[in-house]
Amino acid sequence: MDKNEEKQREEEREQVVSPWEVSSSGKIDYDKLIDKFGCQRLDQSLVDRVQRLTGRPPHVFLRRGVFFAHRYLQDAFKVPLVIQLTDDEKCMWKNLSVEESQRLARENAKDIIACGFDVTKTFIFSDFDYVGGHILSYIFYLVLVLPKIMRKFPLQCLLQEHGEGCEVVGIFGFTGEDHIGKVSFPPVQAVPSFPSSFPHLFSGKDHLRCLIPCAIDQDPYFRMTRDVAPRIGYHKPALIESSFFPALQGETGKMSASDPNSAIYVTDSAKAIKNKINKYAFSGGQESVELHRKLGANLEVDIPVKYLSFFLEDDAELEHIKKEYGAGGMLTGEVKQRLAKVLTELVERHQVARAAVTDEMVDAFMAVRPLPNMFD
């Protein structure tokens, strides 16, 4: 093995991004992921095109290269939205009972509905409830096709759209030790990409194209789907992929349900939000006020600034904060105070909306029904 190959393998060991594991010894290198997965950057020309087509400024997640918001797309483009709740996956990977997985799926649905989706254009389904009958035939087909894909592209050197000669791991890297639920799940994740999986919505509309928003760790599922789609007469699904949200402790840290101080939760009180930000949000500020005034903050590692980049709508204010904080004109405490206000307002709005979501509303969103006005 030459030095370049050894270096590449070492880097792969240091950064693992898959549907089941995200870990890194440092910051996630998204450029490497783009090369590895064969993705393309969402560049400014596409963002500008969205603005021309919709006649409104692109969402903050698009403008700042983070991602985009579901509701924004639904409001701006007037399109139907199908949301898959993978409660079966949680049951298999999180060692939860079927009943608990289903309960959590409905709780997730309430949080989604609270974001403001339009019930006349939105269908939410859980795998346990919906996957069967018509959709099951597509799953069986993909299960049959998947081994052919694996034979065509050996597990240790699969098709890589960009980066010729690079050795990459298999799409999923399954081994003989993986249980059958894990092996059979990719088709379940894939089939909602096809309009015929939802005959109550898209009967006779097999020409429709599907746009999938997801974090980049979910890309392997849809690389597989894009390879299979033409074989069964469908368009390849398109994807818009997001970066990961950093833990409060810094980009080398990891959000974890076992550490409530690693993230801000939508159930947190205003007091808890302020405390978490002040105590745990990693700062790029200097060790003393005097040194900070002289050198300014390191914005590349500062978590409050990164969080403001996600949640502060005002572009001009964000740039002002970056400029002043980076030059030493603003102190860490001032930036954290602004972030606490932004997040508290956001979380409290969500909590009010969430409290108004009833079980009957969840049933309405999850009912298998036509949506006659979904393109209006």
Side-chain angles (χ1 to χ4, degrees), residues 135 138 142 187 190-199 202 205-206 208 210 212 224-226 228-230 232-237:
I135 200 170
Y138 291 96
L142 287 174
V191 289
S193 305
F194 308 133
S196 289
S197 296
F198 307 99
F202 307 122
K205 294 183 173 67
D206 290 356
L208 291 178
C210 174
I212 301 168
M224 177 200 76
T225 310
R226 284 173 58 83
V228 173
I232 55 177
Y234 290 108
H235 293 297
K236 295 180 178 182

Side-chain angles (χ1 to χ4, degrees), residues 44-58 72 77:
Q44 188 59 43
S45 65
L46 286 174
V47 176
D48 293 341
R49 186 181 179 191
V50 168
Q51 182 165 352
R52 289 197 302 272
L53 290 172
T54 63
R56 64 173 71 181
Y72 172 78
F77 290 103

Side-chain angles (χ1 to χ4, degrees), residues 24 29 40 99 139 158 175 177 191 202 235 264-265 276 297 336 343 357 359 373:
S24 175
D29 190 326
Q40 293 179 321
E99 293 76 16
I139 295 173
L158 292 176
T175 70
E177 298 177 357
V191 289
F202 307 122
H235 293 297
I264 303 294
Y265 293 93
K276 285 183 179 182
K336 286 189 173 184
L343 290 184
V357 178
D359 286 332
N373 301 314

Side-chain angles (χ1 to χ4, degrees), residues 260-261 263-277 339-349 351:
N261 295 317
I264 303 294
Y265 293 93
V266 292
T267 54
D268 282 342
S269 67
K271 182 178 179 181
I273 292 171
K274 181 179 179 180
N275 180 64
K276 285 183 179 182
I277 291 171
L339 175 62
K341 186 174 187 297
V342 169
L343 290 184
T344 298
E345 291 174 353
L346 185 153
V347 168
E348 288 181 345
R349 283 198 306 270
Q351 289 172 352

